Amino acid sequence: MSQLSGAEAFVRMLQLHGVRHIFGLCGDTSLPLYDALQRLDHRITHILTRDERSAAYMADAYARVTGRVGVCEGPSGGGATYILPGVVEANESSIPVLAVTTDIAVGARGRYVLTELDQEALFRPLTKWNRVLDRAAKIPEVVRAAFRHMTTGRPGAAHIGLPFDVQREPVDEADVHADPTLGVFPARRTAPDPAAIAAAAEAILSAESPLLICGGGPVIAGAMAELEALAELLEIPVATTISGQGAIAEDHPLALGVVGSNGGTLATRALVDQADLVVFVGCRAGSVTTERWRHPAPGKVRVVHVDVDPAVIGANYPTEVAVVGDARLALAALRDEVARFVEIPPDRSEGLGREAVARARAEKFAAFQELSRSDEVPIRPERIVATLQDLLPEDAVIVADAGTPCPYFSAYFQQRRAGRQFISNRAHGALGYALPAAVGAKIGRPDAGCVAVMGDGSFGFASGELETIVRLGLPITMVVIANATFGWIKAGQRSGFEGRYFAVDFSPGQHARIAEAYGVRSWRVEDPAALQPALAAALAADGPTLVDVVTQPLHEAHAPVSEWIA
Ligand SMILES: Cc1ncc(C[n+]2csc(CCOP(=O)(O)OP(=O)(O)O)c2C)c(N)n1
């Protein structure tokens, strides 16, 4: 019987599942794993990060742009606790991220070993599947189970704990096998019940003014063509959530753009209210998308809900038809079913069709465009969005943090191609996501431009990773929206607490100088006229760049936000 060490078997299992990149940070308990990574020929590139939190965010964005499982790793104790934010973000966003933590030896448990922690309990509420190993012999089956759970059904995160002694124990090589199709997601798609498809088609066809609202599901499922075909056949406008951006190209005549309290506007809300039937697709109909379940209004609107996770359907809205299944298969089936009754698209010129979408878009962009031309100081956020819109190629990936970037880019940046190009961490919206996530996105999609847009609050959370970006020589452009305040919260204090500002302002930072010190080519922009040249030069450079833009604070801006407390 040929044998491998536990660590070697683990690396081989990742390799067999098609893993090509691992993001992580070293530690005592990880030494056997690192040694196996060092010695074996596995064609996996390890990206050393400066914080386990970043490693998980990188793996998350990497998974989002590649459609492959993202893998991150960190050591026991502090490494395990630091990696958590990215794991839960991925899990709640239905993105398969495998978090590997190493652990103290099984044989040493309960003896007050440095870093001892119940890591399985720690990850339980944050993952779809989770196991700390006790025996090396179980490594192959545990890795197989993790990949099965991550990429089938509703995708999600998994955690595997590798104790120190388990990494050194023998594993029978004959057990080391895998199904490589489980390394990409969604794997093993599930088709909807034809009876549910027939009922959904009947409901949609009987509606006067149907509207599609897409969450992250269609992009995850790669259902863009099927969605467009259904929308065009029935002349149904398509709205998205923030995570759903990319379900349809935003210059498509039926694309309404983002709706909800963060990125929606009064003009887009009016169309949501006009719908007599909403088809939610791969969408949890959560508080932000629905403006706290008021738009659309439960009970007043008929609902058809398509989701791969049956538990989501009916959680927030009385639902007429539930369709459980993969978004691509469901939308294709729905289109085929509808095509039995409809040959040419209905005339919706008087109701909710492309004319209504065009009017809503024109209204929304009229106010935006005026502000985007403003020469006022500090620079208007609208000007930053408009300038990047002009400069960026169609295939660029934008990663946007919470704060100013998320609502502004969701509302006003027009993604001209369908597919995953806009990334924001909408499960928890934790600050400091965009900078490390851009690393994962750039490594996952090296041929596309990549821009990370962050507030100065977020920059403070993530700036340690500038070293990683420089070390890897990644041509990422970072844009810091500098307003010396936790602006989103200040805006909440202004709108909901009569401007009683408390503990939200911090000192203005010299972000360009900080980045420069790490070796990033940087610009600081205070004059609106200097914005375009600085961004153009940053985007044209072949290494990492940062543009620090002194910007109008969010509480004074005309942000596309209807409610500051989500
Ligand atoms: C880790 C974390 N802590 C707190 C919050 C709450 N929060 C949401 S937005 C925000 C302010 C963001 O400030 P900044 O990054 O400077 O962007 P701005 O809103 O000023 O544009 C805060 C503190 C959060 N989202 N994440």
Side-chain angles (χ1 to χ4, degrees), residues 402-405 428-431 455-458 461 483 485-489 506 554:
T404 304
H428 284 196
L431 302 181
D456 41 4
S458 272
F461 275 79
N483 54 21
T485 185
F486 285 121
W488 180 281
I489 308 304
F506 48 82
L554 202 45

Side-chain angles (χ1 to χ4, degrees), residues 332-415:
L334 205 45
R335 193 214 159 265
D336 289 350
E337 179 67 13
V338 167
R340 295 174 53 213
F341 306 99
V342 178
E343 274 171 18
I344 51 159
D347 178 7
R348 299 201 200 270
S349 54
E350 299 298 314
L352 198 51
R354 64 188 62 210
E355 289 81 1
V357 168
R359 281 192 300 274
R361 285 205 323 218
E363 191 184 326
K364 164 173 135 171
F365 279 104
F368 167 78
Q369 269 146 10
E370 202 177 317
L371 289 164
S372 74
R373 288 188 289 267
S374 166
D375 288 326
E376 283 182 82
V377 177
I379 294 171
R380 299 297 182 247
E382 291 82 0
R383 190 161 178 142
I384 303 172
V385 180
T387 308
L388 281 170
Q389 180 83 65
D390 286 347
L391 289 171
L392 284 173
E394 274 190 18
D395 64 348
V397 175
I398 296 185
V399 194
D401 267 312
T404 304
C406 183
Y408 272 98
F409 280 82
S410 298
Y412 300 126
F413 192 90
Q414 296 279 284
Q415 185 180 316

Side-chain angles (χ1 to χ4, degrees), residues 423-514:
I423 302 176
S424 193
N425 51 332
R426 291 322 299 163
H428 284 196
L431 302 181
Y433 173 84
L435 193 155
V439 174
K442 185 69 196 173
I443 288 172
R445 206 179 280 171
D447 295 333
C450 183
V451 177
V453 192
M454 68 204 79
D456 41 4
S458 272
F459 178 87
F461 275 79
S463 58
E465 232 49 72
L466 288 168
E467 186 281 322
T468 310
I469 292 175
V470 172
R471 172 165 32 91
L472 299 174
L474 295 174
I476 293 169
T477 295
M478 293 158 274
V479 179
V480 181
I481 301 202
N483 54 21
T485 185
F486 285 121
W488 180 281
I489 308 304
K490 193 166 189 175
Q493 291 177 344
R494 176 171 179 163
S495 74
F497 296 84
E498 295 161 349
R500 289 188 295 278
Y501 300 128
F502 175 75
V504 284
D505 294 330
F506 48 82
S507 311
Q510 292 292 335
H511 311 104
R513 286 173 62 189
I514 294 167

Side-chain angles (χ1 to χ4, degrees), residues 319-332:
T319 302
E320 196 174 307
V321 185
V323 180
V324 179
D326 171 79
R328 189 164 98 192
L329 299 184
L331 289 169

Side-chain angles (χ1 to χ4, degrees), residues 17-21 59 62-63 66-71 96-98 147 150-151 182-185:
H17 280 100
V19 172
R20 295 174 191 162
H21 293 92
Y62 175 90
T66 60
R68 318 178 71 84
V69 171
V71 182
V97 161
L98 174 62
F147 275 84
M150 283 189 288
T151 60
L182 291 168
V184 293
F185 68 101

Side-chain angles (χ1 to χ4, degrees), residues 249-327:
E250 287 180 307
D251 55 4
H252 187 286
L254 287 167
L256 180 59
V258 169
V259 294
S261 58
N262 188 338
T265 64
L266 290 179
T268 55
R269 179 201 281 173
L271 264 63
V272 173
D273 289 343
Q274 206 182 318
D276 63 346
L277 181 141
V278 165
V279 187
F280 287 114
V281 187
C283 174
R284 303 199 293 192
S287 60
V288 174
T289 303
T290 62
E291 304 194 57
R292 284 179 182 269
W293 309 286
R294 292 185 301 232
H295 309 281
K300 288 202 190 137
V301 69
R302 298 167 65 199
V303 169
V304 172
H305 203 146
V306 180
D307 207 287
V308 75
D309 180 355
V312 163
I313 299 171
N316 287 324
Y317 283 87
T319 302
E320 196 174 307
V321 185
V323 180
V324 179
D326 171 79

Side-chain angles (χ1 to χ4, degrees), residues 52-53 56-57 79-89 122-123 126:
E52 291 84 356
R53 195 176 38 155
Y57 287 155
T81 54
Y82 273 25
I83 212 166
L84 299 175
V87 177
V88 67
E89 177 60 43
L122 183 72
F123 281 87
L126 312 179

